[in-house]
Amino acid sequence: MRIDVVSIFPAYLEGLKLSLIGKAIEQGLLDLTVHDLRDFTFDRHRTVDDSPYGGGAGMVMKAEPWALALEHILGEGTGEATKPILIVPSPAGEVFDQRIAEELAHTEHLTFACGRYEGIDQRVLDWAGQSFEVRPMSIGDYVLNGGEVASMVMIEAVSRLIPGVIGNPESLTEESHEDGLLEYPIFTKPATWRGHDVPEILLSGNHAAIARWRRDRRLERTAEVRPDLLTGLGDLDARDREVLD
Ligand code: 6GU
């Protein structure tokens, strides 16, 4: 998978080169390039912003540097079969979730346009629609100072789903949000720690009973902290309903 990121703070994205994502880049599973938007300006001050038409607080990112940066990315194209996706991080976007992460993990080329200030001139998004599938995307209902951290969140969530990035693919299937339930609590040695015991069933070796115990805990935890997730669940068995009642 190819991922391009455009930002006025390319140093923010350096963190992606650490750990698992960094290893995926080294292994050639992920081709990540970070571009400095200011490299696509030509004035002495490398200006990327200006005041908003119609008035109002804050500044708006000018269109032309964005167009040049995106054209540069398209020009580095490697005969892609599908239209690249342009993700525009914005609190006004569609809310990113695990389903969207999985959808994006199956695509060839993602570009992230990290806005700062009040955002990017709307005409960039309209114009980019000729060459990209444009998707404004939010990571949740709160406000960040710019798209960099949101892009990192989305890139990490997507790239760990690329086959080969996570060593043991089974660790992907038992996670929160994979099947609509939150995770069960986990424990490791010692069996007693500062007066707190590991639940006895986990020491029993009874795999069926452990699986049922874990599912019960997942149902309980989800009902308690994220009841909204339960409405989207399909097939609950009689025992599931008993736990939830
Ligand atoms: Cl994607 N960007 C910004 N600036 N704020 C956000 C966000 C994105 N998602 C939630 N808040």
Side-chain angles (χ1 to χ4, degrees), residues 45-126:
H45 297 106
R46 311 227 283 164
T47 309
V48 293
D49 63 329
D50 207 335
S51 51
Y53 275 119
M59 298 291 270
V60 177
M61 293 193 109
K62 294 167 67 62
E64 188 60 12
W66 280 105
L68 295 173
L70 296 176
E71 281 171 339
H72 171 75
I73 288 166
L74 291 168
E76 289 181 320
T78 46
E80 290 153 11
T82 52
K83 214 176 185 187
I85 296 178
L86 180 64
I87 306 222
V88 186
S90 160
E94 172 189 10
V95 178
F96 181 79
D97 62 9
Q98 191 67 17
R99 181 190 60 78
I100 295 174
E102 269 159 32
E103 183 194 328
L104 297 179
H106 289 98
T107 62
E108 241 178 318
H109 183 191
L110 298 175
T111 297
F112 290 80
C114 302
R116 282 264 147 183
Y117 317 112
E118 301 309 306
I120 304 170
D121 188 313
Q122 177 61 38
R123 292 169 294 180
V124 173
L125 281 68
D126 302 339

